[in-house]
Amino acid sequence: MTAYSGPVFEMAAKQFEVIAEYLSIPEDARARLLMPKRAVTVSCPIHRDDGTTAVFEGYRVQHHLTLGPTKGGTRFAPSVDLGEVAALAVWMSWKCALVGLPYGGAKGGITVDPSTLSRRELEALSRRYMQEMIPFVGPHTDVMAPDMGTNEQIMAWFMDTYSMYQGQTVTEIVTGKPVSAGGTLGRREATGRGVAHLVRKAADEIKVHLGGATAVVQGFGNVGSIAALELHNMGVKVIAVSDHTGALYRSSGLDIPQLVRHASLRGSLAGYSNELGFDPAEMLTIPCDILVPAALERVIDAKLAADLRCRILAEGANGPTTPEADLVLEQRQGELFLIPDILCNSGGVVVSYFEWVQDLQRLFWEEDEVMRREYQVLDRAFERVLARSKQDKVFNRTAAMAIGVERVRGAKETRGLFP
Ligand code: NAD
């Protein structure tokens, strides 16, 4: 038992054990790599619009400070607890190390359904959360970003709250801000674009022709909607999409640009069409070339893994596949190519890093430059994962995580016990 006990942290721990065995990491070095450096739990009271007071629980977990400041998103969702946040922080560490960023992993969140708050309440909660975090974060200690349930506006409130306490504008305290408040061009699209870019690389590798290929995308928020749009622009037929309000299916392909417009105006897919409605429970097993889970963690268990009918599984979400499902997918390697989450969705943190660098330098890049550099980093990471998985005949997830864990371990060994 640890403070982080729970199904999501257990999953991160099980995944780590697989890597530790593969890398022959001695038993006494394992907890030092896995267990977070620190965790903060805060209470965030706000005045509700009806005059009552409500208190929400918030968390921030910083996994390690060995390679630089920690970096990670902030999630507003009813599922958020300390264990989930800690697992997400651990995955961020392996991800940042895999793509070569000078960061450790962090994650934060508030246990709240943001759709139940008015805009004023959401602003009050966002500002209060950042205010409680001020002693523990900073541009050179821990840099926040958006995740599920948070967006550019919330990042702007975070940045403003932190800045007002410093008496000066500190744009580099968070990434994923609006461009008008020190954000970078290309951050909003970065994760989804990265997912689609890596799908193209995977398709080349296993000789799937993208023109006319089919895709299914679960989750139609920041990651899912942009990934769907990019795939659509590559000539892929996106035949099904879903969000928390339901699923839509059309065998000849959905009108993705129209769906993106609908979702950005209405906040969800609800109300788009009754005729195209589909059972969300069937989404992930629809036969298709490309499957993109881009919503929640642990949606693919062992049974579902056996039933998947895709050629490429592109994990846009963090942790969508359980370790039990991994055992099944490992057996299906010849028929199904996995782009593991820490690689697949890393475009987000790569461009967050570019935003931080630009903010620190007060020198801003054109969008073309941001995209060119993002794809360069992703290409290099993809090639390294592929080469490792071929060389050691291991599963793509094992290869990706091993590269990340090795880098963190190497830095810890040379620095000593402190960071
Ligand atoms: P978001 O809040 O913008 O969107 C989440 C989407 O998931 C929404 O469309 C929501 O309706 C949908 N959803 C929720 N419950 C669902 C359910 N039961 N079935 C189907 N859909 C459901 O969040 P996001 O930023 O797009 O993040 C999605 C995933 O990607 C998360 O796992 C997140 O950690 C990961 N991720 C995000 C980024 C980023 O830059 N935003 C970067 C890396 C990883």
Side-chain angles (χ1 to χ4, degrees):
M1 275 293 271
T2 76
Y4 310 107
S5 292
V8 194
F9 192 73
E10 248 165 53
M11 173 175 157
K14 270 190 194 164
Q15 285 177 340
F16 174 73
E17 273 308 307
V18 173
I19 305 306
E21 284 298 315
Y22 161 59
L23 295 177
S24 306
I25 298 176
E27 286 290 337
D28 68 319
R30 295 186 185 185
R32 175 150 156 64
L33 277 163
L34 177 68
M35 298 310 286
K37 179 170 181 67
R38 67 171 80 102
V40 183
T41 303
V42 294
S43 295
C44 303
I46 61 161
H47 292 303
R48 300 296 304 248
D49 290 345
D50 64 7
T52 59
T53 302
V55 179
F56 296 89
E57 268 183 17
Y59 308 94
R60 186 81 186 160
V61 174
Q62 296 163 350
H63 181 224
H64 74 83
L65 289 164
T66 317
L67 288 163
T70 47
K71 182 87 192 75
T74 312
R75 178 174 285 195
F76 286 5
S79 66
V80 166
D81 61 25
L82 187 61
E84 180 182 86
V85 169
L88 289 161
V90 170
W91 290 327
M92 273 304 284
S93 285
W94 312 146
K95 185 188 306 183
C96 290
L98 166 65
V99 293
L101 304 181
Y103 289 141
K107 209 79 178 191
I110 301 181
T111 315
V112 62
D113 176 354
S115 69
T116 62
L117 301 181
S118 68
R119 183 180 163 92
R120 192 203 61 77
E121 291 169 337
L122 188 61
E123 177 173 358
L125 184 59
S126 305
R127 289 187 180 277
R128 183 60 191 241
Y129 173 77
M130 175 48 104
Q131 187 187 346
E132 294 297 335
M133 289 297 159
I134 285 173
F136 310 102
V137 299
H140 297 285
T141 45
D142 185 10
V143 181
M144 293 185 186
D147 191 76
M148 256 175 77
T150 56
N151 55 26
E152 290 184 353
Q153 177 59 71
I154 292 174
M155 295 307 110
W157 288 327
F158 282 175
M159 186 273 278
D160 184 66
T161 304
Y162 184 87
S163 296
M164 290 308 95
Y165 274 80
Q166 305 304 320
Q168 57 181 301
T169 297
V170 188
T171 51
E172 58 271 28
I173 181 63
V174 295
T175 60
K177 302 176 293 294
V179 173
S180 59
T184 180
L185 294 166
R187 173 61 185 90
R188 189 186 308 153
E189 299 83 1
T191 313
R193 269 183 189 155
V195 169
H197 181 79
L198 291 165
V199 164
R200 196 206 299 267
K201 301 270 302 174
D204 285 349
E205 175 63 25
I206 62 166
K207 316 261 178 301
V208 168
H209 180 58
L210 283 185
T214 53
V216 168
V217 180
Q218 181 191 50
F220 210 68
N222 175 280
V223 180
S225 67
I226 303 285
L229 190 61
E230 291 287 310
L231 290 170
H232 172 86
N233 291 341
M234 289 175 184
V236 173
K237 267 194 299 183
V238 181
I239 57 174
V241 296
S242 70
D243 72 2
H244 68 286
T245 65
L248 300 168
Y249 173 81
R250 188 161 175 250
S251 60
S252 56
L254 293 159
D255 185 339
I256 297 298
Q258 203 177 66
L259 273 166
V260 170
R261 275 194 297 278
H262 175 90
S264 73
L265 280 174
R266 305 279 288 270
S268 74
L269 296 171
Y272 179 78
S273 159
N274 286 335
E275 284 152 38
L276 303 176
F278 187 76
D279 181 0
E282 310 270 304
M283 273 290 287
L284 299 178
T285 50
I286 297 173
C288 61
D289 296 301
I290 303 149
L291 176 65
V292 185
L296 309 169
E297 52 258 3
R298 297 190 304 131
V299 290
I300 301 175
D301 60 14
K303 177 169 178 330
L304 212 120
D307 292 342
L308 294 181
R309 294 289 169 265
C310 57
R311 306 277 314 277
I312 297 171
L313 174 59
E315 294 182 332
N318 284 309
T321 307
T322 66
E324 295 73 27
D326 272 345
L327 297 175
V328 177
L329 295 181
E330 216 170 336
Q331 300 304 316
R332 298 188 60 192
Q333 266 187 98
E335 42 174 325
L336 194 154
F337 187 98
L338 171 77
I339 314 176
D341 53 358
I342 62 167
L343 171 64
C344 193
N345 66 37
S346 64
V349 71
V350 168
V351 176
S352 272
Y353 165 66
F354 296 158
E355 181 174 335
W356 180 70
V357 166
Q358 291 171 76
D359 282 341
L360 286 169
Q361 299 186 341
R362 307 285 189 263
L363 178 67
F364 290 88
W365 308 346
E366 298 296 331
E367 188 160 357
D368 283 2
E369 173 80 354
V370 172
M371 286 170 67
R372 185 184 65 74
R373 287 178 184 253
E374 173 183 355
Y375 295 155
Q376 195 178 37
V377 174
L378 294 183
D379 287 348
R380 202 170 48 213
F382 183 88
E383 299 304 339
R384 290 182 69 199
V385 169
L386 205 63
R388 179 73 172 253
S389 95
K390 284 182 180 167
Q391 177 201 305
D392 285 6
K393 299 194 175 40
V394 289
F395 193 37
N396 285 352
R397 187 181 323 282
T398 309
M401 286 185 59
I403 295 168
V405 169
E406 268 171 350
R407 178 157 187 245
V408 176
R409 187 178 174 215
K412 281 193 184 289
E413 277 180 357
T414 45
R415 285 194 60 174
L417 275 186
F418 270 113

